[in-house]
């Protein structure tokens, strides 16, 4: 075998010789060998040999002789012996194996070699020749093997398999006997779906590769090296699919398979075009691309070539294509100019130039005639309700309304047509406004308003009129200056609303929707008649009409020009109609829409809704009980209660029977809906406390819910701190005695563990707590106060505002409870905590505190906090600490600055809620808990309670100057006049002048 192989290889090399005699002799010898057994096997071995670099031409010639031998000797004839049967299985197996074999770095069909590619074509052809003769009787595993090779992830392997597959299908498709056609149908059933999916994947890969290629700064990146092979495979897939589509299915007279494939193919191609335009708008705007694509899409929309119901997805893709081109921002030239003297165009200038070219091309493609034709087609064909729409409406009005309102434009034909209609108006307002006005006049003549008791026929004119009304609502912004809505409403629309015939529900629903669209053009004189009409529609027997009226009412009430006085008389009947509608509604979306309107009415009307409280309180429990498993509906109940409590103010206890159980449920972190409803529950809790006139035991009971909520997450820190503050202001000493430990754990969790905004909010509540309970609160908060020491002294991760505010709270403790401050500063645990934070205890914690804090006092902006700081510094002046005199200039500088601010009127606002006494000469009485009167206030609101605290704050009535003079005298007596005078001599002259003026 080796000798024969070498002999055949030598003859092939000689046959390629430029010498004529040698070439002819070799060709004659090769021709003589063709009929001998083993010759084809030798040729195949030569083709598969991979260890020689100079044999490419010989391999190609071997493939040619192999193909010729197959044509002449594969089929046995009487006059020729043919290739032995025993050799054929080896040849077939070896041929299929060559598809997978590779050279050192690539397949034998490597694209880098032109000769190798020619060999690949020859082998694909000869495999097809053998398949024509042997399949399926002698070569049953042919297509299973090919399909298995197609599973490979190697692009080159699958590319060559498709080349072979195409040649086989090309050969087999010419066999026209019934049995042969049946074989071809079987092959198609095995390969069609896989090939189709492969083609779709390659299509997406090509789009992605081009996007990455064009967006990359280096256009020769390695990711594009496989792109040529993917493109070639994509083309071969198209050819294979074409062969199977034409010859692999029965005639479409007897089968719909071809039609179904055609739908899939067209949808895929349109999707590819839309995707390419989105990613490469300037390349797509070429004169060779945009005109044929846009013309084709527009023609499909305007010409009734397809059954709309049968081919709806394709029409949607065409509309989407036109809409995307219309709204493409890249085709709108920018207004930027160009620098004089610049020769080359910048990137922005190049884009602007391409945008102008695209704009000019679009202007020629979408001329006035075509734009009007598109608009007319959309209004009179695609926006008109079909018989299927009317049937769906009759069967389930609620579901029909929500589908029309909520479905996206890419899901249904009608919303897609609406989106294209809006896009046309955005770009061609001047052309379309007058046309739509003319169409409105025409449909009004063709279908005049009926009499109130008239029978309305469901005629094409009525359906067209409804569609035109829809178009006017969609383009309301562009038609404001062309249609007098008041005149139109009073002249036609109100008459159409009065007719209650079932068929006229189309116009009643559309007019109700129109009112919501044109709300900005409804003036004060027209609002009352419209309120009357919409309330009448809320009682309409058709749920779709009622939902449209509900939507428009919500739009009117939420409008900036809504005035509560105009709607007061309608509040009670409106709520009654909404409550009845709520009982009849089955869809969750309907219930949510109704509840949203109820909540909005309560919010906008405020105190004016109080007379309807009894009706609301009868309605809300029923909804809450029926909302089991519907978190969104529960949230709406909670929101309505929150608005109602705010509207009732100090009268809110009248709804506690319902409110308290709901609060206890929605603030429980262990209930199933915690993730959905906890945030709104906390807001309701905060609103309830802010408007409560007195604290009741039921509200005190579930304060631990707040601790549990913060232990789980601090996402709701702002509202949680508000709740704590409200409990402090409302609950007084009883609250602190029952839940002091919980309050302390909250501050321990928050302070030092959240960002600046959250820390400042928590510190402000902590400040309020200490003001109201100067004796009882600090011992409970000892660990938190130690953390404040660390923040002030070693607050590397905290802002100046946080450190200043933390110092102000400790200063307040010193002023209001000096004994506890002394106890706190002497605790070994404080020293340990400071050391653990990296602080070197070079002095006492108190000295370290004042040294760090004096630098941050200027970050305080409120007069009350600055004044408390001045008082604390005055107290520290009487300390026996020897280092006091070294810091005398800093202390006096801060105190005189505060005094100067008081004189000049700077920072005189009272934003702190102080409840203090200045304990300078003696410690506070143990029974002291502030001057705030915890008796119930007549107003009952939290703002009034805060104002009471401010008014009872003795700090606001104290004068810092006399106190400072007295404390300086005490300081001199404690440290000695001589040492004190030496410290004074080191002061800045200006500071001495300010002290002399005290």
């Amino acid at each position: 075998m080796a000798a024969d192989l070498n002999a055949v290889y030598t003859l092939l090399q000689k046959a390629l010789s430029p010498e004529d005699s040698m070439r002819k002799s070799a060709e004659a010898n090769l021709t003589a060998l063709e009929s001998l057994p083993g010759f084809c096997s030798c040729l195949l071995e030569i083709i598969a040999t991979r260890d020689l670099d100079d044999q490419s031409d010989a391999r190609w010639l071997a493939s040619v002789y192999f193909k010729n031998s197959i044509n002449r000797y594969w089929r046995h004839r009487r006059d020729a012996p043919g290739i032995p049967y025993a050799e054929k299985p080896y040849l077939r197996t070896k041929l299929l194996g060559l598809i997978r074999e590779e050279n050192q770095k690539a397949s034998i069909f490597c694209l880098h070699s032109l000769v190798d590619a020619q060999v690949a074509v020859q082998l694909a052809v000869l495999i097809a020749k053998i398949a024509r003769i042997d399949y399926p009787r002698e070569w049953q595993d042919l297509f299973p093997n090919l399909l298995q090779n197609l599973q490979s992830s190697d692009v080159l392997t699958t590319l060559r398999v498709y080349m072979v597959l195409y040649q086989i299908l090309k050969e087999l498709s010419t066999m026209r006997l019934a049995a042969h056609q049946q074989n071809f149908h079987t092959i198609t059933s095995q390969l069609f779906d896989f090939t189709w999916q492969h083609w779709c994947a390659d299509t997406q890969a090509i789009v992605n590769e081009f996007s990455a290629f064009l967006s990359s700064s280096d256009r020769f990146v390695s990711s594009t090296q496989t792109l040529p092979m993917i493109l070639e495979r994509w083309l071969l897939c198209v050819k294979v699919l074409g062969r199977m589509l034409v010859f692999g299915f029965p005639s479409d007279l007897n089968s719909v398979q071809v039609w179904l494939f055609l739908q899939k193919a067209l949808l895929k191609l349109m999707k590819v075009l839309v995707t390419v335009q989105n990613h490469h708008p300037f390349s797509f705007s070429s004169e060779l691309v945009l005109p044929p694509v846009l013309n084709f899409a527009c023609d499909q929309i305007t010409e009734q070539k397809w059954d709309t119901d049968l081919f709806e997805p394709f029409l949607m893709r065409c509309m989407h294509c036109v809409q995307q081109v219309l709204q493409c921002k890249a085709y709108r030239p920018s207004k930027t100019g160009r620098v004089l003297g610049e020769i080359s165009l910048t990137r922005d200038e190049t884009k602007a130039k391409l945008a102008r070219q695209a704009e000019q091309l679009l202007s020629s493609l979408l001329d006035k005639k075509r734009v009007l034709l598109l608009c007319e087609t959309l209004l009179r064909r695609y926006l008109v309700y079909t018989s299927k729409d009317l049937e769906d409406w009759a069967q389930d009005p609620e579901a029909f309304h929500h589908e029309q309102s909520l479905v996206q434009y890419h899901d249904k034909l009608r919303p897609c047509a609406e989106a294209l209609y809006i896009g046309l108006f955005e770009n061609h307002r001047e052309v379309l406004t007058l046309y739509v006005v003319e169409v409105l006049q025409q449909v009004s003549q063709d279908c005049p308003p009926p009499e109130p008791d008239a029978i309305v026929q469901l005629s094409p004119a009525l359906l067209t009129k409804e569609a035109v009304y829809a178009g006017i609502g969609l383009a309301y912004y562009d038609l404001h200056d062309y249609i007098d809505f008041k005149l139109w409403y009073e002249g036609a629309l109100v008459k159409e609303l009065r007719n209650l015939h079932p068929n006229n529900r189309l116009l009643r629903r559309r007019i109700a929707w129109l009112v919501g669209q044109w709300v900005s053009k409804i003036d004060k004189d027209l609002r009352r008649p419209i309120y009357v009409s919409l309330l009448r529609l809320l009682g309409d027997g058709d749920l779709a009409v009622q939902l449209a009226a509900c939507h428009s009412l919500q739009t009117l009430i939420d409008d900036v020009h809504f005035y509560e006085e105009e709607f007061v008389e309608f509040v009670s009947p409106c709520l009654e109609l909404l409550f009845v509608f709520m009982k009849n509604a089955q869809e969750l979306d309907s219930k949510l829409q109704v509840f949203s309107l109820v909540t909005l009415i309560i919010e906008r009307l405020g105190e004016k809704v109080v007379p309807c409280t009894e009706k609301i309180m009868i309605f809300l429990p029923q909804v809450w009980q029926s909302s089991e498993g519907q978190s969104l509906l529960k949230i709406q109940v909670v929101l309505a209660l929150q608005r109602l409590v705010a509207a009732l103010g100090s009268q809110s206890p009248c709804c506690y029977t319902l409110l308290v159980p709901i609060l206890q449920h929605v603030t429980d972190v262990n209930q199933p809906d915690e993730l959905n409803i906890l945030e709104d529950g906390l807001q309701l809790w905060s609103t309830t406390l802010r408007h409560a006139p007195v604290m009741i035991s039921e509200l005190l009971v579930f304060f631990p819910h707040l601790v549990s909520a913060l232990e789980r997450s601090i996402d709701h820190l702002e509202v949680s701190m508000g709740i704590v503050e409200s409990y402090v202001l409302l609950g007084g000493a009883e609250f602190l005695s029952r839940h002091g430990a919980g309050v302390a754990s909250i501050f321990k969790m928050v302070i030092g563990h959240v960002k600046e905004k959250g820390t400042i909010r928590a510190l402000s509540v902590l400040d309020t707590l200490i003001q109201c309970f100067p004796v009882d609160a600090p011992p409970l908060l000892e660990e938190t106060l130690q953390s404040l020491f660390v923040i002030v002294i070693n607050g590397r991760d905290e802002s100046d505002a946080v450190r200043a505010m933390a110092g102000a709270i400790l200063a307040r403790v010193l002023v209001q409870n000096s004994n506890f401050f002394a106890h706190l500063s002497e605790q070994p645990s404080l020293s340990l905590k400071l050391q653990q934070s990296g602080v070197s205890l070079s002095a006492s914690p108190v000295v370290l505190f004042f040294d760090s804090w004096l630098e941050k006092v200027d970050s305080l902006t409120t007069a009350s906090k600055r004044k408390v700081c001045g008082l604390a510094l005055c107290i520290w002046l009487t300390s026996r600490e020897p280092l006091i005199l070294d810091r005398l200039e800093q202390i006096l500088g801060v105190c005189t600055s505060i005094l100067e601010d008081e004189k000049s009127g700077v920072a005189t606002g009272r934003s702190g809620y102080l409840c203090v006494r200045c304990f300078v000469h003696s410690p506070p009485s143990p029974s002291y808990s502030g001057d705030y009167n915890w008796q119930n206030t007549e107003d009952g609101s939290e703002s009034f309670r805060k104002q009471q605290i401010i008014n009872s704050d003795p700090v606001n009535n104290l004068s810092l100057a006399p106190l400072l003079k007295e404390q300086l005298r005490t300081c001199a007596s404690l440290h000695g006049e001589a040492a004190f005078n030496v410290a004074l001599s080191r002061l800045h002259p200006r500071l001495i002048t300010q002290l002399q003026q005290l």
Side-chain angles (χ1 to χ4, degrees):
M1 179 66 181
D4 294 339
L5 185 62
N6 291 332
V8 172
Y9 178 66
T10 302
L11 287 174
L12 289 171
Q13 285 184 317
K14 290 180 178 180
L16 294 169
S17 175
E19 296 182 13
D20 189 58
S21 59
M22 183 183 293
R23 186 179 67 255
K24 288 184 178 180
S25 175
E27 289 175 350
N29 290 331
L30 289 169
T31 302
L33 293 173
E34 285 183 348
S35 60
L36 296 179
F39 177 70
C40 288
S41 297
C42 289
L43 293 176
L44 197 54
E45 289 297 328
I46 292 171
I47 295 171
T49 302
R50 298 172 293 169
D51 56 353
L52 296 175
D53 296 332
D54 57 349
Q55 64 176 1
S56 296
D57 292 338
R59 291 177 56 245
W60 173 78
L61 187 59
S63 67
V64 174
Y65 272 97
F66 194 0
K67 183 183 69 173
N68 294 337
S69 297
I70 297 299
N71 288 334
R72 295 171 185 168
Y73 302 110
W74 192 269
R75 193 190 300 272
H76 286 262
R77 297 183 177 88
R78 293 180 181 178
D79 57 343
I83 298 173
Y85 286 110
E87 188 178 357
K88 287 182 179 180
Y90 168 77
L91 295 176
R92 289 193 294 259
T93 304
K94 186 68 174 179
L95 281 170
L96 290 179
L98 286 178
I99 298 175
R100 299 187 299 270
E101 291 182 4
E102 297 180 349
N103 283 325
Q104 297 175 357
K105 295 292 181 70
S107 172
I108 64 169
F109 307 127
C110 183
L111 288 173
H112 296 128
S113 172
L114 177 61
V115 176
D116 287 342
Q118 293 171 345
V119 172
V121 175
Q122 293 294 334
L123 290 178
V125 171
L126 66 87
I127 292 174
K129 296 292 185 182
I130 297 174
R132 181 183 179 93
I133 299 171
D134 286 2
Y135 181 80
R137 186 172 300 174
E138 302 294 337
W139 206 358
Q140 296 179 357
D141 61 344
L142 170 61
F143 288 102
N145 282 335
L146 291 176
L147 188 58
Q148 182 179 359
N149 289 335
L150 286 176
Q151 310 290 332
S152 173
S153 59
D154 182 63
V155 177
L156 188 57
T157 299
T158 55
L159 169 63
R160 295 314 182 200
V161 174
Y162 276 117
M163 178 185 290
V164 173
L165 185 59
Y166 171 65
Q167 293 296 337
I168 294 174
L169 294 178
K170 183 179 178 182
E171 193 71 37
L172 296 182
S173 65
T174 60
M175 303 171 69
R176 304 310 300 156
L177 294 178
H180 297 152
Q181 293 181 12
Q182 184 59 43
N183 288 336
F184 204 95
H185 294 167
T186 303
I187 296 168
T188 300
S189 65
Q190 295 174 356
L191 298 176
F192 188 87
D193 287 340
F194 183 85
T195 307
W196 167 254
Q197 295 298 331
H198 216 154
W199 179 81
C200 293
D202 279 354
T203 302
Q204 189 63 48
I206 290 169
V207 173
N208 295 339
E209 287 279 1
F210 269 115
S211 299
F213 176 70
L214 295 176
S215 62
S216 175
S217 58
D218 183 4
R219 293 295 178 88
F220 301 97
V221 292
S222 59
S223 62
T224 62
Q225 291 178 357
T226 60
L227 184 57
M229 289 189 287
I230 295 176
L231 286 167
E232 186 176 353
R233 185 174 66 184
W234 179 87
L235 183 59
L236 282 170
C237 285
V238 172
K239 292 181 178 180
V240 170
L241 288 170
R243 282 284 166 180
M244 289 191 288
L245 179 62
V246 174
F247 300 104
F249 294 97
S251 171
D252 59 4
L253 295 174
N254 303 315
S255 173
V256 298
Q257 287 179 293
V258 177
W259 173 245
L260 294 176
F261 169 75
L262 180 60
Q263 288 186 15
K264 291 169 64 178
L266 288 176
L267 287 173
K268 187 66 179 179
L269 287 172
M270 287 304 300
K271 181 179 180 181
V272 170
L273 290 172
V274 172
T275 304
V276 171
Q277 193 281 330
N278 185 44
H279 286 82
H280 313 294
F282 293 125
S283 300
F284 195 87
S285 65
S286 167
E287 293 184 357
L288 299 176
V289 180
L290 184 57
V293 173
L294 196 60
N295 288 333
F296 174 79
C298 291
D299 290 344
Q300 301 309 308
I301 296 170
T302 56
E303 299 178 14
Q304 192 79 27
K305 294 183 178 180
W306 312 95
D307 185 330
T308 302
D309 295 333
L310 187 62
F311 218 56
E312 182 176 304
F314 176 69
L315 288 173
M316 290 166 55
R317 291 285 168 82
C318 292
M319 290 181 184
H320 188 198
C321 180
V322 178
Q323 177 202 356
Q324 187 165 286
V325 171
L326 279 170
Q327 296 182 329
C328 182
K329 295 181 180 179
Y331 298 158
R332 299 173 184 176
S334 62
K335 305 298 183 181
T336 57
R338 190 180 171 196
V339 179
L340 293 176
E342 286 286 337
I343 299 176
S344 60
L345 296 177
T346 65
R347 182 173 180 269
D348 291 338
E349 290 170 349
T350 302
K351 289 173 62 177
K353 180 180 178 181
L354 293 173
R356 286 190 294 270
Q357 294 174 356
E359 186 181 42
Q360 293 173 1
L361 186 59
L362 274 178
S363 298
S364 62
L365 292 172
L366 294 174
D367 55 8
K368 181 178 180 181
K369 181 179 179 181
R370 171 166 276 178
V371 169
L372 290 175
L373 178 60
L374 280 170
C375 182
E376 181 181 11
T377 305
L378 293 172
L379 284 175
R380 296 185 179 273
R381 185 188 305 171
Y382 296 110
L383 294 185
V384 175
Y385 281 132
T386 63
S387 57
K388 177 67 167 54
D389 293 329
L390 298 177
E391 182 180 347
D392 292 343
W393 188 342
Q395 290 180 352
D396 193 342
E398 280 185 89
F400 171 80
H401 173 84
H402 293 303
E403 181 181 358
Q404 296 292 315
S405 303
L406 302 177
V407 73
Q408 298 296 317
Y409 72 88
H410 46 72
D411 294 333
K412 293 289 184 178
L413 181 61
R414 182 184 174 89
C416 195
E418 292 175 351
L420 176 57
Y421 177 82
I422 294 172
L424 283 172
F425 255 93
E426 289 177 355
N427 292 272
H428 301 278
R429 176 184 180 185
E430 297 78 7
V431 176
L432 295 177
T433 47
L434 294 177
Y435 169 75
V436 171
V437 173
E438 292 177 2
V439 173
L440 174 61
Q441 295 172 350
Q442 181 180 347
V443 297
S444 298
Q445 294 174 1
D446 296 341
C447 183
E451 295 297 325
D453 299 328
I455 298 176
V456 178
Q457 299 295 329
L458 203 58
S459 62
L462 179 66
L463 293 172
T464 303
K465 188 175 189 178
E466 192 277 340
V468 173
Y469 281 10
I472 292 173
L474 292 171
Y476 69 94
Y477 182 80
D478 299 297
L479 294 170
H480 275 175
D481 298 330
Y482 296 85
I483 295 178
D484 187 334
F485 187 79
K486 181 179 180 181
L487 186 63
W488 183 28
Y489 179 83
E490 294 176 344
L493 299 182
V494 71
K495 296 179 182 178
E496 291 167 331
L497 288 175
R498 289 170 184 163
N499 184 284
L500 301 180
H501 191 272
N503 288 338
N504 201 47
R505 68 185 189 278
L506 275 75
L507 292 184
R508 294 199 300 273
R509 176 179 176 273
R510 182 57 63 191
I511 294 170
W513 172 81
L514 262 175
V515 168
Q517 295 294 102
W518 282 73
V519 65
S520 59
K521 283 294 182 180
I522 299 177
D523 55 25
K524 184 176 181 180
D525 296 337
L526 192 58
R527 281 183 174 260
R528 191 180 187 284
I530 286 182
Y531 290 149
V532 173
S533 298
L534 290 177
L535 289 182
R536 188 183 300 118
L537 293 178
L538 276 180
D540 195 285
D542 190 284
L543 291 177
V545 177
Q546 291 176 281
L547 285 168
C550 182
H551 170 74
S552 292
L553 260 177
Q554 183 156 7
T555 306
L556 283 165
I557 295 173
D558 202 28
D559 182 48
V560 67
H561 299 296
F562 174 77
Y563 295 101
E564 296 82 358
E565 295 77 9
E566 300 173 357
F567 194 74
V568 170
E569 61 178 298
F570 302 107
V571 172
S572 181
C574 180
L575 290 176
E576 290 178 359
L577 289 169
L578 290 174
F579 296 159
V580 173
F581 182 25
M582 186 75 177
K583 294 178 182 179
N584 297 329
Q586 300 297 322
E587 296 281 340
L588 176 61
D589 289 335
S590 302
K591 296 178 180 179
L592 294 177
Q593 187 172 335
V594 171
F595 234 107
S596 179
L597 178 55
V598 171
T599 303
L600 182 64
I601 291 173
I602 297 173
E603 181 181 4
R604 292 303 301 264
L605 272 295
E607 296 178 354
K608 298 179 179 64
V609 82
V610 172
C612 302
T613 301
E614 185 177 351
K615 297 178 182 178
I616 298 173
M617 292 306 299
I618 294 174
F619 170 67
L620 289 181
Q622 298 172 357
V623 180
W624 180 260
Q625 292 171 5
S626 64
S627 64
E628 188 64 33
Q630 297 178 332
S631 300
L632 293 177
L633 192 55
K634 285 185 176 181
I635 291 173
Q636 289 296 324
V637 175
V638 171
L639 291 176
L641 266 176
Q642 181 182 339
R643 305 298 191 274
L644 181 61
V645 169
L648 290 172
S650 59
Q651 303 177 48
S652 58
C654 68
C655 60
Y656 278 7
T657 305
L658 171 66
L659 176 61
V660 172
I662 289 179
L663 264 181
Q664 191 159 7
H665 173 77
V666 298
T667 58
D668 184 1
V669 296
N670 297 316
Q671 51 96 5
D673 294 329
E674 177 263 334
L675 288 176
N676 301 318
I677 207 170
L678 178 61
E679 181 177 1
D680 296 292
L682 292 175
Q683 292 288 353
L684 175 60
W685 194 357
S686 176
T687 302
T688 301
L689 293 173
R690 284 189 284 108
H691 294 280
V694 294
M695 175 60 71
I696 60 174
S697 58
E698 289 84 351
L699 291 176
L700 282 173
V701 167
F702 50 86
F703 179 80
H705 288 186
L706 185 63
V707 181
S708 301
L710 285 174
E711 286 175 346
R712 180 165 297 190
S713 172
I714 58 172
D715 292 340
H716 315 300
L717 180 61
E718 177 69 26
V719 64
S720 298
M721 287 294 103
I723 291 172
V724 174
E725 185 175 40
S726 296
Y727 267 109
V728 170
L729 296 173
L730 183 65
E734 181 184 1
F735 162 71
L736 192 65
S737 63
R738 292 182 62 173
H739 300 294
V743 173
S745 66
I746 288 176
F747 286 115
K748 181 181 176 182
M749 283 187 288
V750 173
I751 293 177
H753 301 95
V754 297
K755 294 182 179 180
E756 178 183 355
K757 182 179 178 181
T759 302
I760 290 177
R761 179 67 178 114
L763 289 176
S764 68
V765 178
L766 179 60
D767 192 28
T768 302
L769 178 60
I770 293 176
Q771 292 171 48
C772 296
F773 307 102
V775 174
D776 298 332
L780 291 172
L781 303 169
E782 182 171 342
E783 190 170 352
T784 299
L785 295 176
Q786 288 183 355
S787 298
L788 296 188
F789 264 100
V790 176
I791 288 175
V792 174
I793 297 172
N794 188 31
R796 289 189 296 265
D797 299 330
E798 302 291 351
S799 66
D800 289 348
V802 170
R803 297 177 69 184
M805 195 167 183
I809 292 175
L810 291 173
R812 189 174 305 283
V813 175
L814 174 60
V815 171
Q816 298 182 247
N817 196 341
S818 57
N819 286 345
F820 179 79
F821 185 88
H823 163 78
L824 178 66
S825 62
E826 294 170 358
Q827 288 296 308
S829 57
L830 174 60
S831 300
L832 178 61
K833 183 173 289 191
L834 287 171
Q835 290 176 333
Q836 290 175 343
S837 68
V839 176
S840 176
L841 295 179
S842 57
S844 67
V846 174
V847 173
L848 294 175
F849 163 71
F850 278 104
D851 283 348
S852 301
W853 182 53
L854 283 171
E855 301 174 358
K856 309 299 178 185
V857 171
D858 288 339
S859 298
L860 296 172
T861 57
T862 60
S864 57
K865 286 184 174 58
R866 289 174 63 83
K867 194 168 186 180
V868 169
C869 294
L871 295 173
L873 290 173
C874 289
I875 295 175
W876 195 42
L877 281 174
T878 62
S879 171
R880 296 185 180 277
E881 180 66 50
L883 297 176
I884 285 289
L885 297 180
D886 296 335
R887 291 153 179 79
L888 188 61
E889 184 170 9
Q890 286 180 283
I891 296 172
L892 295 178
V894 172
C895 292
T896 55
S897 174
I898 296 171
L899 290 172
E900 288 294 324
D901 290 342
E902 288 184 351
K903 291 179 181 179
S904 60
V906 176
T908 56
R910 297 180 178 181
S911 61
Y913 314 120
L914 305 179
C915 184
V916 300
R917 288 180 180 176
C918 186
F919 305 109
V920 177
H921 303 291
S922 59
S925 167
S927 63
Y928 175 78
S929 60
D931 288 339
Y932 175 55
N933 182 10
W934 294 100
Q935 299 300 319
N936 300 336
T937 61
E938 183 179 351
D939 181 273
S941 67
E942 186 164 300
S943 59
F944 188 82
R945 288 190 282 271
K946 289 180 178 180
Q947 189 60 47
Q948 272 202 325
I949 293 178
I950 294 174
N951 295 338
S952 61
D953 180 14
V955 171
N956 295 324
N957 300 317
L958 287 176
S959 178
L960 182 60
L963 176 63
L964 179 59
K965 289 191 291 185
E966 182 181 350
Q967 296 298 92
L968 284 174
R969 287 193 293 268
T970 305
C971 180
S973 63
L974 286 174
H975 297 282
E977 291 291 340
F980 184 75
N981 289 331
V982 170
L984 287 178
S985 65
R986 294 196 295 264
L987 299 181
H988 192 278
R990 183 179 178 183
L991 185 57
I992 294 176
T993 303
Q994 291 176 330
L995 290 175
Q996 292 173 348
Q997 295 175 355
L998 292 178

